[in-house]
Amino acid sequence: MAVTPPAPTAADRAQAARERAEIDTSCRGPVLYYAASAVFWLLVGTVLAVIASIKLHSPYFLTDSPYLTFGRVRMAHLQAVGVGWSGMSAMAGGCWLMCRLSRATLPYPRLLLVAATLWNVGMVANVVGILLGHGQSVEWLDAPRYTAPFLITSVAIFSAWTAATFVRRREPHVYVTQWYIFAAVFWFPVLYLITVAMIFWVPSTGVVQMVVNWWFGHNYLGLWLTPFGVGSAYYLIPKIIGRPVHSYYLSIVGFWSLALFYSWAGMHHLIGGPIPAWLATASTVGSMMMFIPVIAVAINHHMTMLGSFHMLRYSPALRFTVFGAMTYTAVSFQGSIESLKGFSEVAHFTHYTVAHAHLGAYGFFTMVMFGQLYYMIPRLTGREWCSARLISLHFWCDAIGISIYFVALTFPGWTQGRMMNDPNVPWGNIVEYMKPYLFTRSVSGVLMGVGHVAFAVLLVMNLAGWGRRRGTGPTWFAEPPPADQKQLAGAAAD
């Protein structure tokens, strides 16, 4: 017969609050360093993204500088955002979440500071090196060869630190968020080392390099960024609304099916290329099987939120996180369908795939990371955000911006693919057809950039001591009614 544990007393709650405060104090320096660095690289990547986007419809824009050609700017943008912002924001959240869920103060803080500095040094060499013409013409591996040791050493230190923190845990239960963090920090170093070795250090021959390239590119998103994004959503949604995850067993299904099937994906990008047919087919099967983990995660998140969707009106962190979680479901379904041979024959080499990639990397991952930072930063600095209006500006600029971006490239991109497959359509007609949609892409990029600047201003003001001290009430978009205040009180105090 199951025994219901006794309800925590006031003394228990006070002790738990002191423990959380101690953990947050220990995390403050390294986590804020990671977070501030991530936002810096986001701003750098945003400027580069807007320049690259404008060049697609105005090719004579900034043509006087050899350092700002489309090829260099586009590669530098991908590295600044895909490696600089994404990697450092993921590790910032992973560090704090691992300590919180392990109920352990942060060990070896100087080691984390060294790891973050190595990542920053590698990123400076990465972006500057690409603009100087040292980039590699390999998708997702555009960084100059001399940056790899910095990134590998940094992530190796972070992985070792994660294991050390877990060993020191005082919480016997292992949470689903911790599974995803562990998966990311141990999958990625192996993925990166094998890829760099087979493409650059001891180069493979022939089409093997293509296969390794797309295996890395797809799994960088699925086995590095996705675990951090999904794991963060699993923590934030229940914590903010004050309810447990809907199904622990469903989260197990989602995690292990992701581990089993995602590593097969990626080869469908080479359908029609000179690779064995079985390889592309196996990749398509793996992509279609991804319906299992995606549906499991979607059910868990939706059922956890059921009855609490109205709280999106109040909580900034919840609004960003739920937007990202819903986008994860949509972009994953889209990606599985896109792996089918008949579909790929039209969508391949078009702006349709560009829209899909941005929906995943931005609409899902980046929006969840923003939600995590909005929740985490006040607990580290001891101050709430100073302006709900700036937060609202940030959310709507980013949400509307990525929506416009996706729509403006998805449907025209499909038409572009059909026109490309028609031998009677001149190439110049296809270029002219896409120009207004590429202009719309630039407008959406500027809109998202406004949101990024708003967040950067909020972060600088918070770090500078602006905003009321925690304990006097959280930063809400609107004042919740008494019933909702009671449900949100746990998240506000935690």
Side-chain angles (χ1 to χ4, degrees):
M1 180 178 178
V3 178
T4 303
T9 63
D12 293 333
R13 289 192 292 270
Q15 174 60 29
R18 286 192 295 270
E19 182 180 272
R20 290 192 298 269
E22 183 183 3
I23 292 170
D24 291 344
T25 300
S26 70
C27 290
R28 183 174 298 146
V31 174
L32 289 178
Y33 182 28
Y34 270 107
S37 300
V39 174
F40 170 79
W41 290 114
L42 177 65
L43 294 177
V44 171
T46 300
V47 173
L48 294 169
V50 172
I51 294 173
S53 182
I54 292 174
K55 283 177 173 288
L56 285 173
H57 55 82
S58 302
Y60 294 104
F61 178 65
L62 296 179
T63 54
D64 294 335
S65 173
Y67 308 111
L68 297 177
T69 59
F70 175 80
R72 295 186 188 184
V73 171
R74 192 262 178 189
M75 284 195 291
H77 151 67
L78 180 62
Q79 292 294 306
V81 175
V83 180
W85 152 255
S86 297
M88 300 207 81
S89 63
M91 288 187 282
C95 175
W96 182 73
L97 288 172
M98 184 57 69
C99 289
R100 272 293 193 101
L101 295 173
S102 299
R103 293 175 53 211
T105 54
L106 185 141
Y108 314 115
R110 293 182 180 178
L111 201 59
L112 276 182
L113 292 173
V114 169
T117 300
L118 286 172
W119 196 277
N120 276 325
V121 171
M123 283 306 306
V124 171
N126 187 348
V127 173
V128 174
I130 288 174
L131 294 178
L132 291 176
H134 302 162
Q136 307 295 315
S137 299
V138 182
E139 189 79 6
W140 281 103
L141 292 165
D142 316 277
R145 297 189 184 189
Y146 46 76
T147 65
F150 294 100
L151 302 181
I152 290 173
T153 304
S154 176
V155 78
I157 293 173
F158 187 82
S159 299
W161 174 89
T162 302
T165 304
F166 185 76
V167 169
R168 291 166 173 257
R169 74 190 189 280
R170 288 183 289 174
E171 172 59 53
H173 181 73
V174 180
Y175 293 92
V176 60
T177 297
Q178 291 172 294
W179 307 345
Y180 281 101
I181 294 173
F182 265 119
V185 299
F186 287 106
W187 283 336
F188 177 64
V190 175
L191 178 72
Y192 190 60
L193 273 172
I194 291 175
T195 304
V196 171
M198 294 186 69
I199 293 181
F200 299 119
W201 294 347
V202 188
S204 303
T205 58
V207 298
V208 175
Q209 287 200 16
M210 272 197 315
V211 172
V212 174
N213 179 205
W214 274 111
W215 174 71
F216 173 82
H218 215 80
N219 286 286
Y220 181 84
L221 296 171
L223 300 182
W224 171 242
L225 301 186
T226 295
F228 278 114
V230 172
S232 297
Y234 261 120
Y235 177 85
L236 292 170
I237 292 174
K239 179 67 72 173
I240 294 172
I241 66 175
R243 294 174 58 183
V245 172
H246 169 69
S247 171
Y248 179 81
Y249 296 104
L250 200 58
S251 64
I252 294 176
V253 172
F255 175 82
W256 287 110
S257 52
L258 172 72
L260 179 61
F261 298 126
Y262 204 101
S263 59
W264 287 89
M267 299 312 105
H268 62 269
H269 289 280
L270 300 174
I271 288 176
I275 65 171
W278 69 265
L279 195 58
T281 301
S283 180
T284 299
V285 171
S287 295
M288 297 304 294
M289 293 300 290
M290 278 298 297
F291 276 111
I292 297 174
V294 172
I295 291 173
V297 170
I299 292 174
N300 242 356
H301 287 167
H302 179 80
M303 295 303 293
T304 303
M305 276 294 299
L306 196 64
S308 301
F309 282 99
H310 63 284
M311 293 185 181
L312 296 173
R313 296 199 298 268
Y314 314 124
S315 171
L318 186 64
R319 188 179 291 186
F320 277 93
T321 303
V322 170
F323 184 97
M326 295 174 66
T327 304
Y328 171 68
T329 304
V331 74
S332 298
F333 284 177
Q334 183 193 20
S336 294
I337 298 299
E338 194 175 335
S339 70
L340 297 174
K341 183 176 183 295
F343 201 97
S344 181
E345 288 176 349
V346 177
H348 227 171
F349 308 119
T350 70
H351 287 282
Y352 180 97
T353 58
V354 176
H356 169 69
H358 280 75
L359 188 66
Y362 193 96
F364 157 52
F365 176 79
T366 290
M367 293 297 274
V368 171
M369 289 301 104
F370 280 137
Q372 180 173 262
L373 291 172
Y374 273 118
Y375 186 86
M376 178 176 68
I377 298 298
R379 287 155 179 78
L380 295 173
T381 63
R383 290 190 177 275
E384 287 296 333
W385 301 100
C386 63
S387 173
R389 289 185 178 180
L390 272 180
I391 301 174
S392 184
L393 174 69
H394 176 202
F395 175 80
W396 288 112
C397 281
D398 285 4
I400 295 173
I402 188 59
S403 299
I404 293 174
Y405 189 107
F406 180 74
V407 173
L409 293 187
T410 297
F411 300 104
W414 181 260
T415 302
Q416 177 193 14
R418 296 184 64 180
M419 294 171 71
M420 289 167 62
N421 288 341
D422 186 347
N424 297 316
V425 178
W427 181 255
N429 291 7
I430 302 174
V431 173
E432 288 298 323
Y433 168 77
M434 287 302 302
K435 281 181 68 175
Y437 302 108
L438 295 176
F439 177 81
T440 305
R441 164 185 169 151
S442 296
V443 172
S444 66
V446 171
L447 192 60
M448 288 185 278
V450 171
H452 301 164
V453 172
F455 180 71
V457 170
L458 283 165
L459 179 61
V460 169
M461 294 175 73
N462 190 283
L463 296 178
W466 291 44
R468 60 181 181 272
R469 291 190 176 277
R470 276 184 52 76
T472 58
T475 306
W476 284 329
F477 289 127
E479 190 73 13
D484 289 332
Q485 284 191 24
K486 184 177 181 181
Q487 189 170 347
L488 288 164
D494 188 3

